[in-house]
Amino acid sequence: MKYRRIIYTSHATKHFNKRNLLDLLHDSRAFNEMDGISGVLIHKEGLFLQVIEGESLFLDDLLERLKRDPRHDDVTIINDQPTDTKLFPKWSMGCADFDDPSLSLIPGIRTDISNPKVIDDLIKRLPEIATLLAENIE
């Protein structure tokens, strides 16, 4: 089956504490599971970087909901491509709070993920990062 993988960034419109992040994940996981969407949400210092994977029609619907979501703005698609496999097949929405020092083993994470060069490096190394995340977070 052909899938589509979209990577986007956005900025939180308010401070996101752990409770806010858990609420966001709870909502996302329910919708994503119904639509067969998987991925990971990365949060650091008010910046979100998200990888979403699934069938194109469902991703289009999700993108429309994301653009209307008042919890963030400046949704910017940085990568959109077809793929034969999912990198995060078991996660309806995994989460990595990169302010967490336990994830500092991932090169580039302790730097500014708003930097386009860092984001480009993360995208290039996404399969490796997906493996590291799967080993270190639930």
Side-chain angles (χ1 to χ4, degrees):
M1 172 184 278
K2 287 282 187 187
Y3 298 108
R4 182 172 162 204
R5 181 178 301 124
I6 298 173
I7 303 169
Y8 75 89
T9 59
S10 66
H11 293 92
T13 54
K14 63 178 185 173
H15 173 72
F16 260 74
N17 60 30
K18 297 285 184 195
R19 178 78 253 162
N20 300 133
L21 203 52
L22 288 172
D23 289 344
L24 175 68
L25 288 169
H26 180 266
D27 294 344
S28 298
R29 286 174 176 154
F31 282 110
N32 290 352
E33 193 167 323
M34 288 188 310
D35 292 340
I37 295 172
S38 60
V40 65
L41 175 67
I42 297 167
H43 175 258
K44 183 176 180 183
E45 299 171 356
L47 179 69
F48 294 107
L49 181 119
Q50 186 167 21
V51 179
I52 50 178
E53 307 169 313
E55 293 180 36
S56 191
L57 178 64
F58 293 119
L59 289 183
D60 285 337
D61 290 344
L62 175 57
L63 282 174
E64 288 305 312
R65 289 194 308 268
L66 289 169
K67 289 175 182 177
R68 292 189 309 265
D69 190 328
R71 295 174 286 195
H72 67 155
D73 61 11
D74 195 24
V75 175
T76 304
I77 306 293
I78 56 176
N79 193 282
D80 185 346
Q81 64 186 23
T83 182
D84 291 325
T85 60
K86 290 183 175 186
L87 291 173
F88 305 97
K90 296 180 181 179
W91 292 350
S92 58
M93 188 49 56
C95 180
D97 184 348
F98 283 149
D99 289 328
D100 182 342
S102 68
L103 295 177
S104 63
L105 61 118
I106 300 172
I109 294 309
R110 302 309 293 170
T111 61
D112 180 8
I113 66 168
S114 66
N115 181 327
K117 289 181 181 182
V118 172
I119 292 172
D120 188 50
D121 185 49
L122 290 172
I123 291 169
K124 287 177 185 171
R125 298 177 60 231
L126 201 53
E128 173 191 351
I129 291 168
T131 300
L132 287 170
L133 290 174
E135 293 170 355
N136 289 284
I137 65 175
E138 295 178 17

